[in-house]
Amino acid sequence: MTPSQIELVQDSFAKVAPISDQAATIFYDRLFEVAPQVRAMFPDDLTEQRKKLMATLAVVVNGLTNLPAILPAASALAKRHVGYGAKPEHYPVVGSALLWTLEKGLGDAWTDDVAQAWTAAYGTLSGYMISEAYGKAQAAE
């Protein structure tokens, strides 16, 4: 990721943060719409899950300027997700739902540059998480 991409991700997330609960609701609605099979991995009441999602995103987004500092937490998160039933093929679906959510939440502020920046950020983190949880061969697929 370039410094300008990091800035775009951080600036755009700052615009979504004030509507974090609504954004998290949109995200999970979209995720379960496109991948209903993952619904069973989540509690019936998503209140706490939505808070965890937005808190985790905030840590990651704020940590993009010092990626090595957030990688241990990303590794631990990835390994925990294995226990929940997450598989490598779920990561692109989650990424798609996240980008869709950001597009809806940002409206006109969702530009091609912002989309590319978020795609790069998600690709970097998800690739790392997959390699940590499932091995380097899975991350390359």
Side-chain angles (χ1 to χ4, degrees), residues 124-139:
T124 297
L125 264 296
S126 66
Y128 176 77
M129 291 174 70
I130 291 168
S131 70
E132 287 294 293
Y134 308 100
K136 301 221 183 303
Q138 289 288 332

Side-chain angles (χ1 to χ4, degrees), residues 33-91:
E33 177 185 331
V34 298
Q37 70 278 12
V38 304
R39 181 62 181 98
M41 293 182 208
F42 295 90
D44 290 337
D45 182 354
L46 292 171
T47 304
E48 287 304 311
Q49 187 65 35
R50 288 192 302 266
K51 290 177 187 173
K52 287 179 187 178
L53 169 70
M54 296 310 291
T56 301
L57 279 173
V59 168
V60 169
V61 166
N62 292 327
L64 288 176
T65 53
N66 186 10
L67 203 52
I70 62 171
L71 292 181
S75 176
L77 181 64
K79 291 171 183 171
R80 278 196 311 274
H81 277 78
V82 172
Y84 305 144
K87 298 184 177 357
E89 59 267 23
H90 293 140
Y91 282 78

